Amino acid sequence: MKKRMLGTLAVSEIGMGCMGISHAAGRAMETPDAVRLLRTAVDMGYTFFDTAKNYGFADDPHHNEKVLGEALAPVRGRVVIATKCGVSFDYAADREVPPLLYDSSRAGIRRAVEGSLRRLRTDRIDLYFQARIDPRVEPEEVADTMAELIREGKILHWGVSEVGPDYLRRAHAVCPMTAVENRYNMIDRGHEDLIPFLEAEGIGWVAHGPMFKGLLSAAFHKGAQFARDDWRSRLVNDENLDRYAPPLAFLQKLGQEKQAAPAQLALAWVLGRKPYIVPIPGMRSQARLAENAAAANIALTAAERAEIDRLVLAANP
């Protein structure tokens, strides 16, 4: 797989979003199955793996990092690992859909990084994200803490997930960021106002949710049912299936012409938007690993992109 640059950090042009292995996509994978999947991904050319300390479930809140640690430790020199701090889940309040607890204090980030290093079985984290903005902590304090961790060699690069322009500018001024991790796909483009600053400062964009929680795969139909703790239900529902029926129909038609799956076209759209955007779709099978990797070989014409834009704009007036 070809590489892209997140700032000065080289990663595979498509990364692996690992959350769904443990959280928010139905029952967590069994650890041996997840380890095999991750090692297969490395063999196929994926070098960028995105996780977080809170990707887990009530009985194993840090399941995801532990799985990645077991799977990737033998190939640590071949991979780039991104993980996150700043939030945890309050399973005491709700075991299935727990609310978030925020802690981006200096002490909180330092506790988090030590736990992640231990679970990931590594001596450094390649890219460390503040997972969500903590309303009680100023961006300058967060950035200063990250600068300390970089000096100590515990993290190599840092960024913020779900960040807006003002916070990004203030934090970056204290400790330059390598990347932001914001949702991005052909439907949800709410963070495009960051692009001028990202380009001016050489900051990369890790795009989570590149398939709009699976809706853009065109694999779901009205009446789809999900478990209460499956986050796909937030976007894959009858209302959105009706609302976005025209662009989905166009993706299916275009896919027949290009012999490509709609999900591949969704990834191709993101990849074609900017050369420093790296999508991180979730994958739980070898078939999805192969399908998504092949999306990098698909190019959309200007006319095809214009038609997608027209149909999406009509659905989002």
Side-chain angles (χ1 to χ4, degrees):
M1 198 182 301
K2 295 178 182 177
K3 297 293 181 66
R4 288 196 167 195
M5 299 302 297
L6 296 172
T8 60
L9 183 62
V11 300
S12 54
E13 59 187 331
I14 298 174
M16 185 172 181
C18 299
M19 179 179 72
I21 288 173
S22 307
H23 181 80
R27 183 182 177 87
M29 294 181 69
E30 296 295 331
T31 295
D33 295 334
V35 168
R36 280 193 294 270
L37 181 71
L38 289 160
R39 290 182 179 167
T40 297
V42 175
D43 291 340
M44 293 176 63
Y46 288 90
T47 68
F48 183 44
F49 296 85
D50 180 90
T51 182
K53 77 179 187 68
N54 59 307
Y55 292 168
F57 43 90
D59 293 331
D60 194 352
H62 309 297
H63 179 263
N64 210 249
E65 283 190 333
K66 290 189 286 186
V67 168
L68 264 69
E70 180 176 344
L72 300 180
V75 293
R76 184 65 182 92
R78 297 166 55 190
V79 300
V80 172
I81 298 175
T83 192
K84 307 178 190 73
C85 64
V87 297
S88 58
F89 288 119
D90 186 1
Y91 288 109
D94 190 325
R95 286 177 61 87
E96 291 185 337
V97 188
L100 284 175
L101 298 172
Y102 297 89
D103 186 1
S104 287
S105 65
R106 194 178 304 271
I109 291 175
R110 284 194 161 275
R111 282 193 301 271
V113 78
E114 296 298 339
S116 291
L117 287 168
R118 183 176 62 255
R119 291 185 291 270
L120 290 166
R121 305 186 189 184
T122 186
D123 61 354
R124 81 282 183 193
I125 293 165
D126 301 296
L127 180 53
Y128 201 42
F129 286 111
Q130 180 189 14
R132 292 293 184 274
I133 291 170
D134 184 338
R136 302 167 303 176
V137 183
E138 296 299 324
E140 291 82 4
E141 179 180 339
V142 174
D144 189 59
T145 304
M146 297 297 185
E148 290 179 355
L149 295 175
I150 290 171
R151 288 194 295 270
E152 294 166 16
K154 294 180 178 179
I155 69 174
L156 305 184
H157 305 267
W158 89 289
V160 182
S161 180
E162 290 304 296
V163 65
D166 180 65
Y167 193 98
L168 172 61
R169 289 186 177 90
R170 290 173 60 187
H172 182 72
V174 173
C175 182
M177 290 189 203
T178 291
V180 300
E181 183 171 322
N182 284 5
R183 63 192 182 277
Y184 192 53
N185 55 68
M186 63 176 64
I187 290 174
D188 192 343
R189 310 183 192 187
H191 291 292
E192 287 187 333
D193 59 344
L194 298 180
I195 285 176
F197 188 77
L198 299 181
E199 294 188 344
E201 298 297 321
I203 301 171
W205 185 342
V206 178
H208 74 80
M211 296 182 197
F212 203 70
K213 291 298 181 190
L215 186 83
L216 291 171
S217 71
F220 297 99
H221 303 282
K222 293 180 71 172
Q225 298 293 313
F226 299 94
R228 182 168 174 263
D229 59 353
D230 192 325
W231 289 7
R232 289 175 294 184
S233 62
R234 301 178 182 186
L235 296 177
V236 183
N237 50 51
D238 289 359
E239 179 183 354
N240 279 338
L241 286 166
D242 282 337
R243 181 178 185 178
Y244 298 110
L248 287 174
F250 179 72
L251 288 182
Q252 290 173 310
K253 175 178 176 293
L254 190 60
Q256 292 173 352
E257 295 172 3
K258 292 181 176 288
Q259 296 184 320
Q264 291 176 308
L265 298 176
L267 286 176
W269 185 91
V270 174
L271 288 168
R273 187 68 179 90
K274 294 290 181 180
Y276 52 82
I277 299 179
V278 176
I280 51 166
M283 295 168 271
R284 288 175 51 125
S285 72
Q286 185 172 336
R288 295 288 80 74
L289 289 173
E291 180 178 280
N292 290 340
N297 300 319
I298 299 170
L300 298 175
T301 67
E304 290 162 351
R305 297 181 74 88
E307 180 62 7
I308 289 170
D309 291 349
R310 185 188 70 80
L311 292 169
V312 170
L313 181 61
N316 292 323

